[in-house]
Structure formats: structure tokens, C-alpha cells
């Protein structure tokens, strides 16, 4: 089980596909190194990030008032 900790794009550079490219690189690299499960946490009000993660196959595991917990599993592909 691996953890994806932070993905932050400066507001001046958002909307250019940078987050998508970085996430793809990170997930591909983790899988190449043997990851079969990747966990992450984001703020509950960060719908944009949650949408991106869902596009990459991450699924909601749990939500609190402040955070959303998501997981990706290699077998879900």
C-alpha cells in the first residue's frame, strides 16, 4: 500500500493539465515500483482534485467533515 501525499499546482498554472500529467507520472511510477494500492486524502471542499482522482480510478473510501479519503487498486483497472 502506497500513499500519495501532496499534489499542489500554483494557481497561476492551473488549468493547463499539469496536475493530470504529474498524477499520471506518479501513479505509473508507483505501479512500476510494485504498488497495487494507493491511498490519498484531500479536503472535502476540493471537488476539482476529487474529480481528477476519480478520473484516474480512485474511489471514495471515507469522508469526514474536513477530508475525503480515496483509494486506487491495481485490480480495479
Amino acid at each position: 500500500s502506497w500513499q500519495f501525499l501532496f499534489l499542489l499546482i500554483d494557481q497561476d498554472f492551473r488549468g493547463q493539465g499539469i496536475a493530470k500529467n504529474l498524477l499520471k507520472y506518479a501513479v505509473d511510477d508507483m505501479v512500476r515500483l510494485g504498488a497495487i494500492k494507493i491511498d490519498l486524502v484531500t479536503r472535502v471542499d476540493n471537488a476539482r482534485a476529487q474529480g481528477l482522482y476519480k478520473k484516474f480510478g480512485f474511489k471514495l473510501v471515507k469522508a469526514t467533515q474536513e477530508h475525503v479519503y480515496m483509494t486506487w487498486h491495481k485490480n480495479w483497472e
Side-chain angles (χ1 to χ4, degrees):
S1 182
W2 290 54
Q3 284 188 321
F4 188 80
L5 296 178
F6 298 101
L7 177 60
L8 177 66
I9 306 301
D10 185 279
Q11 65 185 9
D12 293 339
F13 297 96
R14 292 179 186 163
Q16 299 178 32
I18 296 169
K20 177 182 171 185
N21 290 334
L22 286 172
L23 184 60
K24 179 171 179 12
Y25 178 84
V27 169
D28 288 349
D29 198 45
M30 286 184 236
V31 170
R32 183 184 62 78
L33 293 170
I36 58 170
K37 181 180 178 221
I38 303 169
D39 298 316
L40 62 82
V41 179
T42 190
R43 287 178 298 201
V44 73
D45 62 351
N46 195 344
R48 195 170 183 174
Q50 292 169 41
L52 176 64
Y53 298 140
K54 287 178 184 176
K55 287 180 184 178
F56 274 81
F58 284 84
K59 295 182 182 180
L60 177 68
V61 175
K62 177 176 100 172
T64 66
Q65 282 186 313
E66 295 180 11
H67 296 99
V68 171
Y69 298 81
M70 301 178 85
T71 295
W72 172 92
H73 199 285
K74 187 176 182 178
N75 293 335
W76 292 343
E77 294 183 329

